[in-house]
Amino acid sequence: MTFMGFKAGTITLDEPRLIYYSGQVLSGTIQFELGDQLTFTDIKVVYIGQAIVKWPENEVQKYSGTSRVRQIDFSGRDVYFSTEQSLCGGPTTLPAGSHSFKFSYQIPPSAPSSFKGSKGSINYRIVAVMEYQDMKRDELSADFEVVAPLDLNTVQDIKKPIVLEFEDVSSCNCFCQDSVISVKIVLPVSGYCPGQMMQIKIDSKNDSSVEVRKIVFQFVKRERYHSQQPKSTYTPPEEILETLVQGPILANTKRSFTFQMRVPDIIAYNLEACNIIDVAYFLKVKVKMSGCAEDLEDECELCIGLIPLKETVEGTYIHPLSYLLPKAAPPNPNNIPNIPIQLQNVNQTPYPQSGSSSKIQMPFPQGYKPQNVMNSPVPYEIGFKVPDIVVEPPYPVNDGNMPQANNFPTPSAPPM
C-alpha cells in the first residue's frame, strides 16, 4: 500500500502527558511512511493558542402587534499565538520508506491555562502541513494542554488577612428589646493552593435569645464570558466545590474557635491573560439564624495558585493532582530560555474560511502571513476583570438587517 504525505503519519510530543507549563519548550516528532518517492514544496508546523466564546440568546421583537423570537449569536475570540515554523523547504523529493522531522517551540510565558466551559474554551493545537506544487496539502494535528503556573508569592497584598463581619439586631424576646448578634470570621491570608488547609477563626458574641443554628462555608467557582460581537457578558450559575458547616452558637453566649477547611483538589485555572473568559474562586459564608431573625450572608474572593505562600507550607508542597501536571518543574519566570527558532507569522482570521478543503479548521487562509500575535505578560490581580473590548473587523458588522445595539438582549449579568 502506498502512503502519500501525512495521510498515515503521526505527531508525537516528548511530554507523554501532553501537558505543558506556560513558558515551557514544547518539542516532538512528525513521523510518516512513504511507499514511493514523493516531491513536496514545504513541510511546516503551525502552533495555535486561542480562546473562543459563543452562546445564543433569544430576543422578542414586536412588529405591528405581532411578536417574533429572534436568536442572537454572541461570539468572541482571543489569540495568544499563531505561529508557523518551516521544517523542510522545497521543492524536495523524499525516497520511499520511513521519515521523521523534529520540531520545538517555546510556549509564551503569558499563555493562559487550557479551559473548557459551558460557553467557551481555551485550546492549544499543533498542525503539521505538507504542501505540494499543485497547491494541495496534507495535514496532521495534535492537541495539547497548558497550565499557567501562578506563584502566590508574587501576588500583591495576598498576605493580608480576610475579615468578614456579621451583625444583626434581634428583638425576638418577650420585652421586644433589641440585642446584638455579632460574628467575625478571619482568614490569615487570601491565597492558597489545592489541598492546603485554610485556618478559619470565628469570634462570636450572641447577646440575644436567638440561636445561630449553623454557619455554612462554601468554596465556589464562578465563570464569566465576554462576547465581542455583539458586546455582552454571560455568567452561568456558580459551582459549589466544597461545603463545611460549623456551629451552633447558642443564645446569650460568647464563643471563639478555629477550624480548618481544605481547598478542593483542583487544577486552578489561571486566565489572567485571557480577555474573554474569567474564572474566579470564592468563599461564601452563610449565618443561619433561628426564630424570626433573617439569615446573614457574605463572601470573599480567594486567589488559588500552583505555588503556595512560603509562610503557609511546612516542608515540601505536593499538588494533590500532580499526575495531571507536567512532569517538569514550572519554569522560573526570571530565567526562561529564549529558544532560537526560525518562525514565520500566519494569519489571525478569527474563523475558518468557508469552502476550505482543509480537513481541520485552520485559523488562516493559505499564503497569507500577517504579524504574529503574542500577549505580553499581565500582572495577576484578584477579582473578576471587565476587559475593555473593542469590536472591529474581521468580526461581523451590522449589515442593516441586525437589530441596533440597544435592542440586543440585556447582558446575562452586570459587571462585577
Side-chain angles (χ1 to χ4, degrees):
M1 183 176 181
T2 300
F3 298 120
M4 299 299 294
F6 285 3
K7 292 182 180 179
T10 59
I11 297 178
T12 303
L13 297 178
D14 293 338
E15 167 57 60
R17 298 176 181 175
L18 309 182
I19 306 172
Y20 294 85
Y21 288 118
S22 303
Q24 192 175 351
V25 175
L26 174 151
S27 61
T29 305
I30 302 169
Q31 297 174 310
F32 58 96
E33 186 169 337
L34 300 177
D36 296 315
Q37 70 175 19
L38 178 68
T39 300
F40 60 90
T41 58
D42 196 10
I43 294 179
K44 57 188 177 183
V45 180
V46 181
Y47 307 95
I48 307 165
Q50 62 183 354
I52 298 289
V53 298
K54 186 177 182 180
W55 73 88
E57 292 188 17
N58 291 330
E59 178 192 54
V60 179
Q61 299 175 332
K62 289 187 177 181
Y63 298 93
S64 302
T66 302
S67 297
R68 183 180 69 178
V69 177
R70 180 176 183 176
Q71 179 175 296
I72 306 297
D73 292 325
F74 295 82
S75 61
R77 182 173 184 262
D78 200 20
V79 180
Y80 312 111
F81 56 86
S82 184
T83 309
E84 178 183 298
Q85 176 187 8
S86 179
L87 302 182
C88 183
T92 300
T93 300
L94 293 178
S98 298
H99 301 275
S100 63
F101 291 84
K102 292 187 176 297
F103 59 86
S104 62
Y105 175 69
Q106 182 177 352
I107 301 170
S110 60
S113 299
S114 297
F115 172 80
K116 291 183 179 180
S118 60
K119 305 300 179 184
S121 61
I122 300 176
N123 301 303
Y124 295 92
R125 169 171 285 197
I126 304 169
V127 180
V129 182
M130 176 178 279
E131 296 181 340
Y132 307 103
Q133 291 178 326
D134 57 1
M135 303 299 292
K136 293 183 179 179
R137 57 200 291 163
D138 289 336
E139 299 172 356
L140 294 172
S141 65
D143 295 326
F144 63 95
E145 295 186 11
V146 170
V147 175
L150 176 60
D151 185 347
L152 297 180
N153 299 280
T154 65
V155 180
Q156 187 178 5
D157 296 332
I158 199 172
K159 298 180 182 179
K160 292 182 178 180
I162 293 177
V163 180
L164 299 178
E165 295 186 284
F166 304 86
E167 187 171 287
D168 188 34
V169 178
S170 173
S171 57
C172 293
N173 53 60
C174 297
F175 305 100
C176 294
Q177 295 176 340
D178 292 341
S179 51
V180 177
I181 305 170
S182 63
V183 178
K184 182 179 180 181
I185 297 173
V186 180
L187 282 74
V189 296
S190 59
Y192 300 90
C193 286
Q196 284 193 292
M197 305 300 293
M198 298 184 293
Q199 301 288 336
I200 303 177
K201 183 179 180 180
I202 297 179
D203 290 323
S204 62
K205 182 180 180 181
N206 188 356
D207 292 334
S208 74
S209 59
V210 176
E211 177 182 305
V212 177
R213 295 189 296 109
K214 59 184 178 180
I215 304 177
V216 181
F217 295 83
Q218 292 179 328
F219 188 101
V220 302
K221 181 187 75 171
R222 292 176 184 162
E223 301 173 3
R224 189 165 61 183
Y225 303 87
H226 305 278
S227 67
Q228 296 163 316
Q229 181 62 33
K231 192 173 181 180
S232 185
T233 299
Y234 181 91
T235 302
E238 66 185 22
E239 179 181 358
I240 300 175
L241 302 180
E242 192 74 30
T243 300
L244 187 64
V245 178
Q246 294 291 315
I249 300 174
L250 302 179
N252 300 306
T253 61
K254 294 182 180 180
R255 188 180 178 192
S256 297
F257 61 97
T258 300
F259 68 97
Q260 294 181 332
M261 183 175 183
R262 179 183 172 89
V263 179
D265 294 349
I266 58 175
I267 304 293
Y269 297 108
N270 179 3
L271 307 187
E272 190 63 20
C274 179
N275 294 309
I276 60 176
I277 302 176
D278 299 326
V279 176
Y281 303 92
F282 295 82
L283 181 66
K284 293 181 62 176
V285 182
K286 300 178 181 180
V287 180
K288 300 288 187 177
M289 313 294 289
S290 64
C292 59
E294 294 184 357
D295 296 340
L296 307 177
E297 185 173 338
D298 201 356
E299 64 183 31
C300 59
E301 186 170 358
L302 301 174
C303 183
I304 307 301
L306 191 69
I307 303 173
L309 289 169
K310 297 177 181 179
E311 295 84 349
T312 63
V313 177
E314 295 182 2
T316 302
Y317 168 75
I318 299 178
H319 197 288
L321 300 179
S322 57
Y323 59 91
L324 297 178
L325 294 172
K327 287 189 174 182
N332 184 344
N334 299 321
N335 189 28
I336 294 180
N338 187 12
I339 306 301
I341 303 175
Q342 292 184 353
L343 300 173
Q344 293 178 308
N345 302 318
V346 298
N347 181 31
Q348 307 305 322
T349 302
Y351 304 106
Q353 303 299 302
S354 60
S356 172
S357 60
S358 175
K359 296 179 182 178
I360 65 169
Q361 293 186 340
M362 299 285 288
F364 56 91
Q366 185 173 352
Y368 186 77
K369 299 177 181 179
Q371 294 183 349
N372 181 39
V373 173
M374 184 180 300
N375 288 348
S376 59
V378 179
Y380 189 93
E381 295 180 1
I382 298 178
F384 272 2
K385 56 187 179 297
V386 183
D388 184 15
I389 299 175
V390 178
V391 180
E392 54 186 26
Y395 294 102
V397 296
N398 196 332
D399 57 4
N401 298 320
M402 296 284 288
Q404 296 300 315
N406 56 3
N407 291 329
F408 283 126
T410 302
S412 304
M416 301 182 67

